[in-house]
Amino acid sequence: MEQVTVERLGHKGDGIAPGPIFVPGILPGEVVEGAVENGVMAAPRIVTPSTARVSAPCSHAKSCGGCQLQHASDDFVTEWKLDVVRRALDAQGISAEIGSVHTSPPQSRRRAAFSAKRTKKGALAGFHRKGSDVVIAVPNCQLVTPKLAASLPMVEALAVLGASRKGELSVTVTDSLGGLDVSVKGGKEIDTELRSKLADIAREYGLARVTWDDEALTRLPPYHQFGKAQVVPPPGAFLQATLAGEAALLQAVTDAMAGAKSIADLFAGCGTFALPLAEQARIHAFEGEKPMVKALDHGWRNAQGLKHVTSTARDLFRNPLLPDELDRFDGVVIDPPRAGAEAQVEQLAKSKVKRIAHVSCNPVTFARDTARLLQAGYRVTDLRVVDQFRWSTHLELVAALTKD
Ligand SMILES: C[S@@+](CC[C@H](N)C(=O)[O-])C[C@H]1O[C@@H](n2cnc3c(N)ncnc32)[C@H](O)[C@@H]1O
């Protein structure tokens, strides 16, 4: 039995005491005791709790692996996330001030990747238990929208229908405006009987679309509203995690693009930013995934009152826009995946583009790419944190940069 004081949180939200000893579920400043095995105190008893400790809002928080930080107050989590950002910026010598912080409310995540298994009595759907691949039921989940939480019986019905005896289904459910959009992986191969029973489930639970591996059955368009346009993303395509987070990011991007008449949206997805920005400017959207480009274009063609939007499928890692292509725009929005956009930012640094909105879900690659832009003469005029990943260790950032 050892007694230790936790000094900091690791990047997965575990407490870390000198040693290092990893203490799951423990906050900085807390004194704990327990057995330590292989550098982990798996079952700590709290001797002195932190003032930042709160009772978890969700009844599944202790066992469920879906959330990491339900035991910490919102203020603590915000301060911790700001610190993660500050440290990433410091490491690159960037001294930008962080302006506003948005935190999405509980019950607002609009997509969940549930796991489901067959059991002796039928099926069980939920999330994995912390640090394990055992599936646990989460009927009172406080993270996802109420429609997603209520969809678990439907996910179980899918497992009864098409999970192999020992295998696990991965069922991604998205709360779209047209109804639930469900995408299933890891099940039996689809055949005529499965197809017909899937149609029954879709009808019974009022699903908009159900996709089994690559085969989609659409009852109603599972659409999302991006400004004046309605877009039906391809199954499983990227979407911002919450509606509130998306609105906060869009506001920051719109502010950064004020006055721009012609904008390139790089890593545009299905048009989250491109389509609302088309109310004020001509847009050229670039995105790697062809089906997403098609969805964006279709959304624009069917909307009223938008300026011209062109869209191109292009791999911006291998084939970034070059300075002469970038110089045709007076604003650039860039929202790359976690790896950042080193090659594209290198070209942006050589361009004459006046305004950049840089969105990122990774503070480390964000800081690396921003440092290159600062070196090239850009200034950060606004920096906001958008925490659409409540109770997790993730966060989103958006910066406005300008060059005279
Ligand atoms: C963080 S998402 C942002 C999407 C969009 N801006 C939004 O807010 O919905 C990153 C996007 O980059 C795309 N992507 C990933 N790698 C890419 C590449 N090498 N070239 C172009 N696009 C890529 C993904 O398909 C995804 O749509």
Side-chain angles (χ1 to χ4, degrees):
M1 193 73 101
E2 283 186 47
Q3 189 172 99
V4 296
T5 303
V6 164
E7 290 182 328
R8 61 194 166 90
L9 290 188
H11 67 283
K12 289 185 177 161
D14 281 356
I16 304 179
I21 298 172
F22 289 86
V23 198
I26 299 301
L27 297 173
E30 294 191 311
V31 181
V32 288
E33 60 182 25
V36 177
E37 229 183 284
N38 299 327
V40 179
M41 188 185 280
R45 188 182 79 78
I46 300 176
V47 178
T48 315
S50 160
T51 51
R53 177 165 288 278
V54 295
S55 15
C58 176
S59 58
H60 311 299
K62 263 223 158 75
S63 46
C64 177
C67 292
Q68 292 80 48
L69 290 169
Q70 288 221 0
H71 54 290
S73 68
D74 282 2
D75 286 351
F76 171 89
V77 175
T78 298
E79 203 35 60
W80 181 75
K81 291 190 181 189
L82 287 174
D83 199 47
V84 168
V85 175
R86 283 189 206 107
R87 277 188 282 123
L89 296 176
D90 279 355
Q92 294 288 346
I94 301 170
S95 61
E97 236 178 70
I98 301 168
S100 62
V101 182
H102 156 91
T103 304
S104 290
Q107 301 186 331
S108 67
R109 282 284 271 277
R110 62 172 157 182
R111 171 173 287 169
F114 294 119
S115 299
K117 275 190 159 173
R118 277 167 64 182
T119 63
K120 282 195 183 120
K121 287 187 189 154
L124 175 65
F127 288 128
H128 284 145
R129 183 183 283 282
K130 274 192 201 319
S132 138
D133 59 3
V134 172
V135 179
I136 59 165
V138 291
N140 305 316
C141 175
Q142 297 298 304
L143 185 67
V144 300
T145 65
K147 282 186 189 158
L148 288 191
S151 76
L152 285 163
M154 175 274 295
V155 178
E156 288 177 353
L158 289 171
V160 170
L161 188 65
S164 58
R165 195 154 286 282
K166 294 222 164 119
E168 187 180 300
L169 285 191
S170 170
V171 183
T172 303
V173 188
T174 306
D175 193 348
S176 87
L177 294 171
L180 293 184
D181 185 9
V182 181
S183 184
V184 187
K185 298 271 180 207
K188 291 182 199 164
E189 216 164 286
I190 195 157
D191 56 16
T192 313
E193 194 191 346
L194 181 55
R195 212 169 273 127
S196 138
K197 288 188 173 160
L198 272 182
D200 293 343
I201 288 190
R203 248 191 322 274
E204 183 183 343
Y205 290 94
L207 305 180
R209 175 170 65 181
V210 56
T211 308
W212 196 273
D213 289 328
D214 296 324
E215 189 170 319
L217 172 91
T218 306
R219 284 183 63 244
L220 302 161
Y223 73 93
H224 296 264
Q225 191 78 38
F226 297 146
K228 292 179 174 171
Q230 296 188 342
V231 175
V232 177
F238 179 90
L239 280 173
Q240 297 296 344
T242 68
L243 267 179
E246 179 180 299
L249 289 172
L250 176 61
Q251 186 60 58
V253 166
T254 306
D255 292 349
M257 289 298 116
K261 295 274 174 266
S262 164
I263 298 172
D265 182 6
L266 309 181
F267 304 92
C270 296
T272 307
F273 304 132
L275 291 165
L277 285 172
E279 289 171 34
Q280 72 177 54
R282 277 173 288 112
I283 310 288
H284 197 138
F286 294 87
E287 157 63 42
E289 295 287 328
K290 268 192 195 148
M292 293 172 86
V293 173
K294 214 170 143 194
L296 190 164
D297 184 59
H298 195 258
W300 174 67
R301 285 179 193 283
N302 287 294
Q304 304 282 317
L306 295 183
K307 296 197 190 297
H308 202 73
V309 176
T310 42
S311 34
T312 303
R314 180 156 164 176
D315 183 334
L316 299 172
F317 287 174
R318 289 160 185 256
N319 188 15
L321 268 73
L322 300 174
D324 62 326
E325 295 175 279
L326 291 163
D327 289 348
R328 290 182 217 141
F329 301 101
D330 40 32
V332 165
V333 177
I334 181 164
D335 181 13
R338 286 191 73 73
E342 206 165 14
Q344 183 59 79
V345 163
E346 186 52 38
Q347 300 306 320
L348 259 178
K350 294 176 186 155
S351 79
K352 298 191 185 88
V353 171
K354 285 213 163 356
R355 315 161 180 79
I356 299 174
H358 184 187
V359 184
S360 167
C361 60
N362 183 343
V364 173
T365 54
F366 170 85
R368 178 199 68 198
D369 291 348
T370 299
R372 178 67 188 99
L373 294 172
L374 297 186
Q375 210 182 47
Y378 284 96
R379 287 173 294 117
V380 175
T381 55
D382 189 21
L383 176 59
R384 305 181 197 177
V385 169
V386 175
D387 183 6
Q388 52 178 348
F389 305 106
R390 168 175 275 279
W391 297 320
S392 85
T393 56
H394 296 285
L395 60 92
E396 195 91 20
L397 281 166
V398 53
L401 296 107
T402 53
K403 183 159 80 169
D404 302 325

